[in-house]
Amino acid sequence: MLPAVNNSGLLSFAPVVKLGSSTAVWLARVSASGIAGSSVTLLRFDQRVVRLQLHAGSLDPGGTWTYGPQVGVPEIHSLIAGFNGGFKLSYGAGGYEQQGKLVRPLLQGYGSIVTYSDGTTNIGSWSGEVPARGKTVVDVRQNLQLLIDGGRVASNVDSCVIDCWGATIGGRLVVARSGLGITAAGELVWAGGENLSVRALADALLGAGVVRAVELDINPDWVAGYIFQHASGTVAAIPMATGQLGIYDQLIHGADTRDYLSSV
């Protein structure tokens, strides 16, 4: 069950997934800054317990991959959470690399979610904070410039919404939005909501202690976060963001056309 919205604007995380004696995932909900009646849902992941895995969509980028549109065995038996990836690659918001295979050229300075062969993930600007020297890169998902850098929100979140942060349905400034950030302690934080400005998304991530972040996909059909529950050999996807339309296949039935990220 989702926690109630915290109208004070202060984040209060509650554990939602435990692995043994360790909490793997925490959940919080907070009022969206400047938008009455709207909220942001956040999932915080402990990388000492879980790892992030990039999945290729059947059409975007397409092709055959170990981690493709369907969560396979043995991953499905340890699947904890999943959430949407970035913009369509044709949008030109950055490059894409999976399993060491370059699909789209990686662009210098773009916000990048980078996973290394040791299983850790970092977020930063390409050729800046990432990639780390001496580490082998496995996956890279780029999406626009950094939304948060050095603990500061990008200066153009209010002045350059459509051109800088993505085309929206009907040109609206408040739409479904999502993002992924990293804290100074190395925890990953996904944030999403159905009615968010770029500022509200960034403020929520900043309130969770994020020091660097990228905006992920936007618009209602493409923003969704799930926690997966396991019982009697079956897996059920539990939607996390209030009112999310969600990714129609819930990430586990092999029909998703777009890339996404899972935690195991």
Side-chain angles (χ1 to χ4, degrees):
M1 179 179 294
L2 292 174
V5 174
N6 186 339
N7 291 311
S8 70
L10 300 175
L11 291 182
S12 178
F13 279 93
V16 288
V17 177
K18 280 201 166 189
L19 296 178
S21 60
S22 300
T23 300
V25 188
W26 290 261
L27 171 67
R29 293 179 67 220
V30 65
S31 296
S33 60
I35 306 171
S38 184
S39 64
V40 188
T41 298
L42 300 103
L43 296 172
R44 193 177 81 212
F45 301 90
D46 186 345
Q47 291 202 77
R48 297 171 300 180
V49 183
V50 299
R51 62 178 176 83
L52 195 68
Q53 179 62 57
L54 178 63
H55 280 258
S58 61
L59 298 179
D60 204 33
T64 301
W65 305 85
T66 301
Y67 296 98
Q70 183 172 10
V71 177
V73 178
E75 184 187 5
I76 197 166
H77 297 301
S78 59
L79 188 64
I80 295 170
F83 49 87
N84 58 275
F87 291 3
K88 282 187 175 181
L89 296 181
S90 60
Y91 193 84
Y96 185 104
E97 181 176 339
Q98 188 170 349
Q99 297 173 243
K101 179 181 178 182
L102 188 64
V103 177
R104 289 291 177 100
L106 301 172
L107 304 181
Q108 186 168 346
Y110 273 56
S112 306
I113 304 164
V114 180
T115 298
Y116 301 105
S117 59
D118 63 5
T120 62
T121 296
N122 198 2
I123 296 172
S125 60
W126 188 253
S127 298
E129 297 86 1
V130 294
R133 185 174 298 177
K135 284 195 172 187
T136 301
V137 173
V138 175
D139 300 324
V140 184
R141 188 35 159 124
Q142 294 186 319
N143 211 56
L144 306 173
Q145 304 294 315
L146 287 174
L147 178 62
I148 296 174
D149 189 9
R152 295 183 179 181
V153 176
S155 61
N156 60 0
V157 295
D158 302 310
S159 61
C160 183
V161 176
I162 302 297
D163 288 344
C164 298
W165 300 104
T168 63
I169 295 174
R172 294 164 51 204
L173 303 184
V174 175
V175 294
R177 296 186 187 273
S178 60
L180 185 69
I182 192 165
T183 69
E187 296 170 315
L188 297 173
V189 180
W190 176 85
E194 284 300 298
N195 296 288
L196 301 180
S197 63
V198 185
R199 166 70 66 179
L201 175 65
D203 284 349
L205 285 163
L206 201 63
V210 163
V211 293
R212 292 183 301 279
V214 294
E215 182 184 55
L216 292 176
D217 220 344
I218 60 177
N219 293 310
D221 286 343
W222 306 112
V223 173
Y226 298 96
I227 292 291
F228 296 100
Q229 291 186 346
H230 300 257
S232 302
T234 62
V235 183
I238 311 301
M240 290 289 104
T242 303
Q244 71 179 42
L245 295 182
I247 300 167
Y248 67 92
D249 65 358
Q250 300 179 333
L251 307 180
I252 55 177
H253 300 303
D256 198 44
T257 61
R258 302 281 292 279
D259 67 277
Y260 61 92
L261 297 114
S262 66
S263 63
V264 294

